[in-house]
RNA sequence: UGGGCCGUCGCCAAGCGGUAAGGCACCUGGUUUUGAUCCAGACAUGCGCAGGUUCGAAUCCUGCCGGCCCAGCCA
């Protein structure tokens, strides 16, 4: 089963599971879960967690549940639930049985709360929010007991029952676990486990007006589902003692093991649902699926493949050390995938007309080009060569910089998949702008090298007669700062938005075969990058492509400015 | 200054007492009708620092230093 030479080193969570399995824990079962709160769209950081949890389940022949952690109804919605489901499926994962909701367990969780009260381990608090905070103490000073901490079990049961019945206003009472107000771990200083919220819940409607808090809900939900390994991010590490306290106190039939790993940080972007939502709400981007967003929906629209994201998540590893992954790794991953999978096509972004003088007016040659230079199974396509064609303005220079190997006056260049042409004359308008090139073709260079000379440059081109118009959206990083999140110098997120994160090219000329482009199917536009038809392209008469990522480019690095 | 966690190449990351994997980036060559891909090579005498244990330490011990998380009726 294992490949000795190339075995990818195991990360620490895999090692824990392997050890558990070898010791016969959990009856040899592995059950994980991915537990998003439906209060926003999933982002690349969630993708890491999804790949980890579902991947572990697959690897160890176990199961992974998709469970919505929906205990805070005022921030959650059905829209987010649907988006999250779609994203998980698109990434290529299948959840075990039906989707779960923490809200499915509200009755059971409530019973457990009553049990805790009966055991004298929970009490109804009458202190105000501010008072609770004061009593909690600080990082360095212990807290002090609430005057209500020793209410009788009977009184607590009565009060909690009346909270549930809606007799009290929001904010007046809460249920607290009775643990230790002097604990060095602030999470153990009698944490609130139930609060009153008189709002409708997207799943349970108006059935409840009290809702359990995360710390009380999550561990119980895990236990109910028989989760064996409850994998979460580092910020929950200090909550683990509480997770264990709740389950131990309740004596739940199963007691999952919480394991924390470092969440993903990517430079030049943010992975915070709250801040992503801010960009959407303030109109900085067009929506959660704006191709500049690091959301799964945004990446999908941008042209990223599920496989490239999965591969990226494999590449970055799983550890407990906080790091910042270079965006270049994500870009490598998508280029690596698309180089193999994307058929090639030609599209001229900044058209410059070229007239082939030694070709007859109205003549049209049909040429066949392979869809992929190395993969013949991808077949071929037809392109047309006509007297008038377009090349990119950047592929001609009146005054060429050193090392330039594209077209210059009196020079030759290879038209990709076509003839070698020579530039005979530059035509300019009254203002001195180059508007046309007059060239001649060498008829003896189709599919063969020219005689007695070397032609170094190859440029892409398109027939002016048969090409189709296209709009191309060129995306760049959304932020100019490596760490947009850091508020140093009073700088905010909005201060570091990249003004050039979206540049639209309106007059692009694409080879005719591209009219058949469909949403989600990637292309490599030769010498430019990878592109995909935008999902709202149908709103436009022309083709609309998003640039997923550029090709690796060693020219702009050495090109003089 | 309380509690928890983390420091191995520019970035990610193996390593689990026997003498520093791999990937990304960068650099050098080669192939190439994409300045792409591909191929070959180069890239930490060193593992936050300082001591100690040991024949032997990135791995064990001690002490420092640096970073992250926790004081929501958010998750």
């Amino acid at each position: 089963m294992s490949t000795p030479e190339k075995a990818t080193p195991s990360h620490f969570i895999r090692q824990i599971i392997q050890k558990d399995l070898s010791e016969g824990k959990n009856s040899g079962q592995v059950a994980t879960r991915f537990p998003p709160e439906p209060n926003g769209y999933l982002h690349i950081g969630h993708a890491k967690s999804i790949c980890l949890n579902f991947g572990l389940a697959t690897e160890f022949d176990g199961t992974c549940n998709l469970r919505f952690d929906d205990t805070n109804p005022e921030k959650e919605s059905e829209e987010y639930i649907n988006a999250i489901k779609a994203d998980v499926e698109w990434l290529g994962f299948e959840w075990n049985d039906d989707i779960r909701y923490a809200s499915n367990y509200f009755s059971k969780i409530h019973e457990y709360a009553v049990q805790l009260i009966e055991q004298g381990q929970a009490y109804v608090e009458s202190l105000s929010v501010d008072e609770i905070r004061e009593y909690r103490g600080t990082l360095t000073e212990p807290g002090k007991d609430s005057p209500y901490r020793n209410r009788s079990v009977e009184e607590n049961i009565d009060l909690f029952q009346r909270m549930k019945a809606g007799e009290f206003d929001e904010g007046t009472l809460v249920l607290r676990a009775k643990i230790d107000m002097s604990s060095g771990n602030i999470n153990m200083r009698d944490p609130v486990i139930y609060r009153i919220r008189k709002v409708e819940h997207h799943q349970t409607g108006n059935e409840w007006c009290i809702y359990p808090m995360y710390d009380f809900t999550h561990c119980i939900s895990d236990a109910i589902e028989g989760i064996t390994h409850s994998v979460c991010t580092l910020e929950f590490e200090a909550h683990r003692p509480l997770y264990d306290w709740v389950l131990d106190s309740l004596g739940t039939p199963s007691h999952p093991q919480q394991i924390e790993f470092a969440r993903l940080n990517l430079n030049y972007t943010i992975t915070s649902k709250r801040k992503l939502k801010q960009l959407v709400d303030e109109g900085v981007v067009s929506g959660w699926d704006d191709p500049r967003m690091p959301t799964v929906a945004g990446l999908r629209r941008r042209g990223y493949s599920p496989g490239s994201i999965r591969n990226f998540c494999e590449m970055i590893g799983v550890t407990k050390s906080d790091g910042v992954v270079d965006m270049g790794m994500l870009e490598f991953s998508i280029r690596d995938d698309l180089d193999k999978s994307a058929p090639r096509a030609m599209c001229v972004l900044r058209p410059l007309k070229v007239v082939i003088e030694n070709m007859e007016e109205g003549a049209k040659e049909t040429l066949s080009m392979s869809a992929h230079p190395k993969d013949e199974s991808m077949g071929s396509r037809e392109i047309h060569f006509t007297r008038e064609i377009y090349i990119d303005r950047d592929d001609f220079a009146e005054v060429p910089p050193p090392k330039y190997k594209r077209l210059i006056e009196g020079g030759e260049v290879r038209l990709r998949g076509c003839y070698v042409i020579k530039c005979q004359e530059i035509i300019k308008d009254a203002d001195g702008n180059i508007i046309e090139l007059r060239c001649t073709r060498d008829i003896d260079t189709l599919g063969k090298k020219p005689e007695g000379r070397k032609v170094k440059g190859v440029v892409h081109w398109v027939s002016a007669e048969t090409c189709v118009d296209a709009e191309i959206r060129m995306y760049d990083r959304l932020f100019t700062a490596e760490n947009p999140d850091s508020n140093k110098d009073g700088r905010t997120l909005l201060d570091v938005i990249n003004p050039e994160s979206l540049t639209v090219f309106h007059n692009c000329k694409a080879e005719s075969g591209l009219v058949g482009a469909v949403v989600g199917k990637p292309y490599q536009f030769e010498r430019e990058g990878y592109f995909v038809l935008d999902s709202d392209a149908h709103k436009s008469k022309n083709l609309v492509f998003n640039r997923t990522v550029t090709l690796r480019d060693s020219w702009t690095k050495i090109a003089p400015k």
Side-chain angles (χ1 to χ4, degrees):
Chain A
M1 225 32 89
S2 61
T3 46
E5 311 117 321
K6 274 199 74 179
T8 41
S10 195
H11 55 69
F12 79 103
I13 298 181
R14 253 200 285 259
Q15 292 180 348
I16 290 172
I17 294 178
Q18 282 163 338
K19 185 160 183 285
D20 289 347
L21 253 24
S22 72
E23 290 172 357
K25 282 190 191 168
N26 310 310
S27 315
Q29 299 300 300
V30 173
T32 60
R33 100 270 91 118
F34 173 62
E37 182 188 10
N39 65 345
Y41 280 52
L42 261 26
H43 55 64
I44 185 73
H46 294 106
K48 177 181 179 184
S49 175
I50 290 168
C51 291
L52 216 208
N53 279 295
F54 284 91
L56 251 15
T58 303
E59 184 177 341
F60 294 103
D61 198 24
T63 55
C64 181
N65 293 345
L66 173 59
R67 181 173 77 230
F68 287 101
D69 222 334
D70 55 347
T71 56
N72 190 8
E74 55 222 299
K75 288 189 176 171
E76 301 159 4
S77 76
E78 204 68 35
E79 180 204 343
Y80 294 137
I81 289 175
N82 292 328
I84 290 168
K85 288 196 281 194
D87 288 346
V88 172
E89 286 183 316
W90 179 76
L91 280 171
F93 297 103
E94 263 177 56
W95 50 82
N96 179 230
D97 297 334
D98 294 333
I99 288 177
R100 329 291 171 114
Y101 294 84
S103 54
N104 289 344
Y105 314 133
F106 279 172
S107 292
K108 188 67 191 168
I109 293 168
H110 176 262
E111 284 172 29
Y112 274 131
V114 171
Q115 180 189 333
L116 223 45
I117 293 172
E118 285 168 346
Q119 291 173 184
Q121 293 180 109
Y123 62 97
V124 173
E125 174 65 274
S126 295
L127 251 28
S128 69
V129 193
D130 290 339
E131 289 166 326
I132 288 176
R133 189 183 313 117
E134 282 170 33
Y135 275 69
R136 186 150 38 217
T138 69
L139 293 179
T140 50
E141 300 156 24
K144 55 186 183 192
D145 290 359
S146 161
Y148 303 98
R149 198 171 198 262
N150 291 313
R151 285 212 243 239
S152 68
V153 169
E154 294 67 35
E155 187 181 5
N156 282 322
I157 291 287
D158 174 61
L159 252 16
F160 188 49
Q161 160 56 30
R162 287 162 61 197
M163 278 170 67
K164 176 169 176 277
E167 284 186 35
F168 305 107
D169 291 336
E170 282 186 18
T172 55
L173 296 178
V174 290
L175 184 70
R176 291 231 249 174
K178 189 192 283 189
I179 308 180
D180 178 7
M181 289 307 291
S182 65
S183 171
N185 182 347
I186 291 186
N187 297 304
M188 299 298 271
R189 319 240 260 232
D190 291 11
V192 172
I193 57 176
Y194 258 96
R195 77 291 217 187
I196 300 169
R197 280 289 174 278
K198 299 195 169 170
V199 297
E200 187 170 308
H201 187 284
H202 49 97
Q203 300 303 310
T204 59
N206 293 305
E207 192 182 342
W208 297 88
C209 64
I210 55 172
Y211 292 97
M213 300 283 290
Y214 165 85
D215 283 310
F216 195 59
T217 307
H218 200 85
C219 52
I220 291 175
S221 303
D222 281 346
I224 288 174
E225 293 178 12
I227 299 302
T228 55
H229 303 270
S230 179
V231 178
C232 63
T233 43
L234 251 29
E235 66 269 27
F236 293 102
E237 211 157 15
H239 293 244
R240 186 169 6 113
L242 179 50
Y243 185 108
D244 291 332
W245 182 91
V246 171
L247 297 187
D248 286 341
S249 302
L250 260 15
T252 49
S254 99
H255 187 141
Q257 177 184 4
Q258 176 176 307
I259 304 168
E260 311 84 12
F261 71 99
R263 60 184 303 155
L264 170 66
N265 297 302
L266 253 192
N267 62 10
Y268 294 103
T269 193
I270 51 174
T271 41
S272 148
K273 258 197 267 183
R274 207 194 93 240
K275 286 174 180 165
L276 255 14
K277 185 170 191 304
Q278 184 192 343
L279 297 178
V280 173
D281 291 344
E282 295 181 12
V284 175
V285 295
S286 65
W288 285 97
D289 70 341
D290 186 298
R292 291 167 294 182
M293 292 281 272
T295 50
V296 173
L299 291 165
R300 173 169 61 231
R301 188 169 165 193
R302 174 81 168 251
Y304 275 77
S305 62
S308 73
I309 293 173
R310 278 187 251 116
N311 181 60
F312 168 74
C313 291
E314 191 64 39
M315 245 169 104
I316 58 176
V318 178
T319 66
K320 295 190 67 149
S321 67
D322 243 323
V324 182
V325 173
D326 195 310
M327 186 61 101
M329 285 223 220
L330 221 206
E331 293 180 346
F332 166 82
S333 186
I334 186 60
R335 284 193 187 108
D336 193 45
D337 179 336
L338 263 21
D339 174 57
K340 296 177 184 73
S341 64
R344 315 280 119 129
M346 292 196 284
C347 180
V348 175
L349 268 31
R350 315 158 197 80
L352 171 60
K353 191 200 279 186
V354 171
V355 177
I356 311 297
E357 292 182 310
N358 58 349
M359 195 167 174
E360 280 173 40
E361 205 98 33
K364 180 161 88 177
E365 293 182 19
T366 298
L367 307 169
S368 175
M369 266 189 95
S370 62
H372 190 107
K374 291 200 252 188
D375 185 354
E376 295 201 4
S377 73
M378 292 181 79
S380 61
R381 80 234 198 221
E382 287 189 344
I383 54 173
H384 307 291
F385 183 56
T386 51
R387 182 176 155 88
E388 293 195 357
I389 62 171
Y390 293 111
I391 66 168
D392 196 286
R393 303 198 85 94
D394 285 358
D395 287 334
F396 177 80
E398 197 172 9
V399 185
K403 305 253 174 111
Y404 192 77
K405 50 184 210 191
R406 281 114 100 152
L407 195 58
I408 59 174
E409 190 172 16
E412 286 186 304
V413 79
R414 160 76 66 180
L415 293 178
R416 172 111 246 240
C418 189
Y419 300 93
V420 168
I421 59 169
K422 181 173 189 176
C423 177
Q424 306 292 160
E425 186 187 359
I426 304 173
I427 310 288
K428 297 182 178 176
D429 65 11
D431 299 323
N433 300 310
I434 299 173
I435 53 169
E436 182 181 317
L437 260 25
R438 309 292 289 195
C439 299
T440 51
R441 67 165 160 171
D442 182 338
I443 196 77
D444 198 30
T445 55
L446 187 62
K448 62 168 100 157
K449 295 196 193 313
E451 305 264 326
R453 70 213 125 103
K454 251 186 267 179
V455 174
K456 279 179 303 197
V458 180
V459 303
H460 56 104
W461 58 281
V462 96
S463 161
E465 191 186 311
T466 66
C467 69
V468 292
D469 290 330
E471 169 184 325
I472 298 196
R473 299 173 184 166
M474 308 284 260
Y475 295 102
D476 198 355
R477 54 174 64 127
L478 225 204
F479 298 99
T480 55
E482 210 176 316
N483 178 5
D485 253 337
S486 91
N487 283 21
K488 67 162 183 260
D489 314 323
R491 179 190 90 178
T492 70
L493 253 201
L494 287 298
D495 295 328
V496 293
I497 296 288
N498 178 6
E500 291 170 357
S501 61
L502 170 59
T503 309
V504 183
F505 283 55
H506 289 282
N507 300 305
C508 307
K509 306 292 184 183
E511 67 174 70
S512 57
L514 254 14
V515 293
V518 295
V519 174
K521 184 177 177 240
Y523 286 95
Q524 183 196 102
F525 290 172
E526 292 197 88
R527 303 211 312 129
E528 290 290 354
Y530 296 96
F531 297 79
V532 68
L533 197 70
D534 187 76
S535 57
D536 69 3
H538 59 276
K539 293 177 189 161
S540 167
K541 283 191 291 284
N542 293 337
L543 293 170
V544 179
F545 285 99
N546 295 324
R547 182 176 68 191
T548 307
V549 68
T550 61
L551 251 27
R552 186 157 161 268
D553 179 6
S554 57
W555 165 243
T556 52
K557 263 188 293 207
I558 58 168
K561 278 214 75 177

